Amino acid sequence: MARQMRNGPLSVLSKESQRTAGDEARTMNISAARAVAETVRTTLGPRGMDKMLVDSSGNVVVTNDGVTLLEEMDITHPAANLVIEVSQTQEEEVGDGTTSAVILAGELLSVAEDLIEQGIHPSSIVAGYQEAVTTAKTALDELAIEIDPDDTETLEAIAATAMTGKGAERSKELLAELVVEAVTTAVREDGTVDRDAIDVRSFPGRSVEDSRFISGTLVDKKPPHPSMPTSFTDANVLVYEDDLELSELEIGAGATITDVEQADAFADRDREELESVVDRIVDSGADVVLVDGGIDDFAQQRFVDAGVLALRRVSDDHRRRVAGATGAARVGNLERLTSDDLGHAGRVEREMIRELTHKGNARAEQTTVFDDLPESEIGTILLRGGTEHVVDEIERAIEDSIGVVSAAIEDGSVLPGAGAPEAELALAVREAAGGIGGREQLAVEAFAEALEAGPRTLAENSGHDAIDALVELTASHDGGDRTAGLDPDTGSPFDALEAGVVEPLRVKRTALESAVDAASMILRIDDVVAAGELSTAGDDDGAGPGAGAGPMGM
Ligand code: ADP
Ligand code: MG
């Protein structure tokens, strides 16, 4: 157990404060951080295993996704949380590569521990790591290949690589196509991808192969009136930001209405006004109307007579998406309504989608599909597949996949995967170490070794001898074979690009940066003190470092 200095002679801490200092603090932090990396280790790569998380009420999540695992796990050790942050950064910046990043951080700490045991000061190690990461990033840029934003084949390979080893793998060709279609739809003029424009909707039931891409969106509302038409080709769409209801008589508020006659007059005028609003909508040529609020019965009947589908209480998000997809303006005032305000959809249709409720009871679900919109700036992936757990895990893989394809389009730079970058970078870093000398050299060499944890783990997880595999892989890179990666089938090197294992540059770059930062931060700590309330920036959910158990708990 840690040496605790309670109220020592020079202590300025309160009686209750716990404190662990020096080597002990460091050793404790390093082992906690390494434990995090160990947890996710076996999930890495195409042959990685899944984990089942169970909470105290029996809810189950089955996942292969690094960040999901770490976020769902009940981890309270502060240093462990620093490593978990690495996976969160990775998730935010790219959406994929979370496991690799955490493994790298853990390995950087593991090799540092050996150096500390040999008497090398942590600050020398941190300095060596900074040297090494600069070299590594340069080598990474040199390894990167430029791609065209409409190089569909490469983009699909990137999408599929992110899905390998996950529940989505069996249908990864179809799903990769859907992802690329979706991301391509969301590319804006400045070359960035508008992630909000891509919606992934999952519906358990049927098979994954029934998933499809809709160049448009879904509105989960059924018509308020059974006789409304529900199928249109070439529909004019109106998005109305108000309601179509009669006003409530507000007795007592402001103008008071005292006699019945006055009330009737008010009601008549109100109804007339609403009638004229409805007429204006019908006259505009709108076929489909999305209304923010409710729709009065007589207005519904008027729409039925005119062959208009009017959906009520459509959420803001759905109205925004339909407007984006069809080019409709969001109209709040009908006084100046013109046909320019209407959007257009090649197809609007009500569809039945069997959706399972949370407890797995089948329930018929209807949705209105706005589809066939060549100019659409938004898209929806309609995901199907087996049970809720299956479809959830597929959705996580799809999200990763959307992240990598977006990063590849935005940056235009990709890398061979399958451990190729790690092997190439390790070589470059080792070479650079020769010119440094001194204690830092040892740290730079250790950095190279840590990088190799990537391909080593890939080999282990696919059942091959890690040492043999790494020797062969390194030899290939030494011989100038820069795209050589680890073939999970044989454990021998193969050309990762030819095999279609491609990742965006940003995945590896972010992983490198955040793993080194976290490892350096942990190495610099030589004192762990239980504090009072800490105000940690950006730590709004209280789950970040500083929260949870005291520094002694894990
Ligand atoms: P992460 O959370 O780091 O993305 P993954 O479990 O997705 O973890 O594994 C990613 C690693 O698996 C990367 O190094 C990637 O290049 C590699 N990989 C993915 N598909 C293949 C494949 N078909 N063959 C070999 N390696 C692959
Ligand atoms: Mg991945």
Side-chain angles (χ1 to χ4, degrees), residues 43-46 96-100 161 164 166 417-418 458 486 488 501 503:
T43 68
L44 184 80
D96 187 31
T98 53
T99 314
S100 312
T161 299
T164 326
K166 322 260 181 224
L458 283 176
L486 189 120
V501 187
E503 295 185 90

Side-chain angles (χ1 to χ4, degrees), residues 356-425:
L356 298 186
T357 61
H358 212 67
K359 289 182 183 65
N361 303 316
R363 163 168 70 96
E365 192 70 24
Q366 293 182 358
T367 186
T368 303
V369 177
F370 291 72
D371 199 358
D372 198 4
L373 306 139
E375 302 297 310
S376 175
E377 295 210 321
I378 68 166
T380 305
I381 294 175
L382 205 160
L383 208 56
R384 308 302 308 259
T387 69
E388 195 167 328
H389 287 114
V390 170
V391 87
D392 281 353
E393 175 67 351
I394 294 176
E395 189 171 336
R396 283 189 283 272
I398 294 268
E399 296 288 353
D400 286 8
S401 195
I402 290 173
V404 286
V405 173
S406 305
I409 289 179
E410 286 180 349
D411 302 349
S413 296
V414 300
L415 292 167
E422 289 87 346
E424 183 70 17
L425 264 50

Side-chain angles (χ1 to χ4, degrees), residues 147-156 180 184 187 408-410 412:
I147 64 149
D148 213 68
D150 30 58
D151 178 353
T152 310
E153 199 183 323
T154 307
L155 294 176
E156 282 176 6
V180 172
T184 315
V187 179
I409 289 179
E410 286 180 349

Side-chain angles (χ1 to χ4, degrees), residues 259-274:
D259 61 78
V260 180
E261 231 167 87
Q262 227 179 325
D264 281 350
F266 181 87
D268 287 348
R269 215 174 35 248
D270 196 35
R271 191 183 158 107
E272 269 165 38
E273 265 170 36
L274 187 55

Side-chain angles (χ1 to χ4, degrees), residues 125-163:
I125 301 175
V126 171
Y129 281 5
Q130 296 309 326
E131 292 261 352
V133 77
T134 311
T135 309
K137 281 202 276 192
T138 310
L140 200 59
D141 289 340
E142 281 167 9
L143 184 62
I145 302 149
E146 278 183 24
I147 64 149
D148 213 68
D150 30 58
D151 178 353
T152 310
E153 199 183 323
T154 307
L155 294 176
E156 282 176 6
I158 294 168
T161 299
M163 287 189 261

Side-chain angles (χ1 to χ4, degrees), residues 148-468:
D148 213 68
D150 30 58
D151 178 353
T152 310
E153 199 183 323
T154 307
L155 294 176
E156 282 176 6
I158 294 168
T161 299
M163 287 189 261
T164 326
K166 322 260 181 224
E169 168 148 17
R170 265 177 305 142
S171 308
K172 71 176 176 185
E173 268 147 43
L174 167 71
L175 295 175
E177 278 175 29
L178 303 184
V179 166
V180 172
E181 250 186 301
V183 178
T184 315
T185 309
V187 179
R188 297 294 173 250
E189 253 166 48
D190 63 356
T192 60
V193 175
D194 179 6
R195 287 293 302 271
D196 289 340
I198 308 166
D199 200 9
V200 182
R201 300 287 309 278
S202 46
F203 298 92
R206 292 217 228 157
S207 88
V208 184
E209 293 293 325
D210 290 320
S211 303
R212 62 184 217 263
F213 174 71
I214 295 169
S215 74
T217 189
L218 309 177
V219 174
D220 301 331
K221 287 288 172 194
K222 58 178 185 204
H225 194 294
S227 308
M228 278 183 183
T230 52
S231 173
F232 297 85
T233 44
D234 292 326
N236 292 327
V237 180
L238 173 69
V239 178
Y240 185 48
E241 302 289 302
D242 206 335
D243 65 58
L244 295 173
E245 281 176 315
L246 297 169
S247 329
E248 305 272 316
L249 290 185
E250 288 177 20
I251 310 292
T256 17
I257 293 164
T258 42
D259 61 78
V260 180
E261 231 167 87
Q262 227 179 325
D264 281 350
F266 181 87
D268 287 348
R269 215 174 35 248
D270 196 35
R271 191 183 158 107
E272 269 165 38
E273 265 170 36
L274 187 55
E275 269 170 9
S276 85
V277 164
V278 173
D279 284 344
R280 228 171 280 154
I281 291 176
V282 171
D283 293 344
S284 75
D287 301 302
V288 179
V289 185
L290 303 190
V291 182
D292 179 12
I295 305 175
D296 191 84
D297 285 350
F298 89 83
Q300 289 180 21
Q301 188 57 51
R302 181 80 180 83
F303 286 133
V304 170
D305 296 342
V308 172
L309 169 63
L311 300 174
R312 66 183 168 190
R313 285 189 262 286
V314 176
S315 71
D316 183 65
D317 190 47
H318 280 142
R319 296 195 314 278
R320 179 179 62 79
R321 292 183 64 79
V322 169
T326 63
R330 298 178 66 168
V331 182
N333 179 351
L334 291 172
E335 301 271 327
R336 286 182 298 271
L337 180 67
T338 71
S339 59
D340 285 351
D341 296 322
L342 301 181
H344 304 279
R347 185 176 80 95
V348 176
E349 194 149 19
R350 187 165 124 212
E351 281 191 28
M352 296 291 278
I353 292 184
R354 193 173 73 90
E355 192 170 19
L356 298 186
T357 61
H358 212 67
K359 289 182 183 65
N361 303 316
R363 163 168 70 96
E365 192 70 24
Q366 293 182 358
T367 186
T368 303
V369 177
F370 291 72
D371 199 358
D372 198 4
L373 306 139
E375 302 297 310
S376 175
E377 295 210 321
I378 68 166
T380 305
I381 294 175
L382 205 160
L383 208 56
R384 308 302 308 259
T387 69
E388 195 167 328
H389 287 114
V390 170
V391 87
D392 281 353
E393 175 67 351
I394 294 176
E395 189 171 336
R396 283 189 283 272
I398 294 268
E399 296 288 353
D400 286 8
S401 195
I402 290 173
V404 286
V405 173
S406 305
I409 289 179
E410 286 180 349
D411 302 349
S413 296
V414 300
L415 292 167
E422 289 87 346
E424 183 70 17
L425 264 50
L427 215 60
V429 170
R430 274 218 178 84
E431 204 170 286
I436 292 173
R439 292 170 166 233
E440 274 173 35
Q441 176 174 345
L442 295 175
V444 176
E445 278 164 0
F447 189 100
E449 199 185 319
L451 282 168
E452 287 167 346
R456 237 187 298 133
T457 309
L458 283 176
E460 270 165 28
N461 288 354
S462 36
H464 302 290
D465 185 282
I467 296 173
D468 289 352

